[in-house]
Amino acid sequence: MSLLHPSPGLATLDARARDIFRRVVETYLETGEPVGSHTLSRAGLDLSPASIRNTMQALAQAGLLASPHTSAGRAPTHAGLRLFVDGLLEVGDIGQDERREIDARLAVLGAKGGGRNVEEALDAASSLLSGLAGGAGIVASPVREAGVRHVEFVALGGDQALAVLVADDGVVENRLMSLQPGVTLSTLQEASNFLSARLKGRPLAEARHEMKAEMEAARRDLDAAAARLVEDGLAAWSGGGHDRNLIVRGRGNLLQDARAAEDLERVRVLFDDLEQKEQLIGLLDDVGAAQGVRIYIGAETRLFSLSGSAVIAAPYMSGRQRVLGAIGVIGPARLNYARVIPLVDYTARVLGRILDGQET
């Protein structure tokens, strides 16, 4: 058999090897367990277990299958999963029940029209996708290009306030803030007026950098509490020093999928990876550049090489096909690719229409 090429493609596999390889991967993705020759034989494969074992051994030597345990069957390697996804995976359309649920859950946000809250839509889409697909849902916020219309700090009682920013395009961004001692209602109003006057009509990302120089004026013209509030407000809207926000929902799904001690260690590493905000946003921005569903498996991304996780993501775009951001699912490499890919794609398209102010 011509299976010993170090990086085989489907063209290097004969019909028997391709069929056995496909069955192993599909069974593994369905059960999460390594697949043995007797399992395939009982599933209707018209070959003896010995013949199946020989072919599986050749596939293992080619780097497409591996034995997680000495007495277990075979499971696809990350290279094997990539070959399967690229050449053998059959992706159908999203189910009608799932389509209706996504439409219903996100259409409510679209009905808010000009007063829609971007973060609310992103949060809902990430949570919805996580619940439907399993794994953790992730979404990167759009790059803000609209100018600022209004800024206000609203007291919530105790030591908390809501920082509200309204953009020229009607998008509202809210941030919950902790207040320093000495902040009064007049302090909140003073800080609101100061920021509104200086940010009005300017994109936040642009204005935030220029505001660094104007902070000296804030410290000079405002009392100490108001000046500190201005600084805290700018930091809150910009994600603590960055221009983009990242929302991750459904981490608990990753724990539910852990089946052994090594799985728990993988999830622990993945939890650490999910805290790498800038790297995750960079990965999602790469998805946007491709303008289609992207799949990363294991070491194909430096960020998830240790946890061996998979990412399925797609960009969400405006009606003019301008990429706004990206949304996706992160989970173990044994994700149900055939089911998750259309879920991610459809959710991304609906989210793009919602944020673009179109009907779903």
Side-chain angles (χ1 to χ4, degrees), residues 325-353:
I327 186 170
V329 171
I330 296 177
R334 59 176 180 266
L335 278 171
N336 186 338
Y337 296 91
R339 180 171 181 271
V340 175
I341 289 171
L343 281 173
V344 170
D345 180 55
Y346 188 74
T347 303
R349 285 188 278 127
V350 174
L351 180 63
R353 293 198 295 268

Side-chain angles (χ1 to χ4, degrees), residues 28-33 76 78 81 256-260 263 266 297 308-310 331-337:
Y28 173 77
L29 293 179
E30 180 181 348
T31 66
E33 300 291 341
H78 289 167
L81 285 173
Q256 292 175 4
D257 194 56
R259 306 183 181 203
D263 282 341
R266 178 188 59 77
I297 302 173
S309 303
R334 59 176 180 266
L335 278 171
N336 186 338
Y337 296 91

Side-chain angles (χ1 to χ4, degrees), residues 59 63 69 73 79 101 103 117 121 152-153 155 182 218 235 257 259 266 288 310 323 343:
L59 290 167
H69 310 289
E101 183 171 356
D103 288 345
N117 186 316
E152 185 174 1
F153 295 100
D257 194 56
R259 306 183 181 203
R266 178 188 59 77
V323 174
L343 281 173

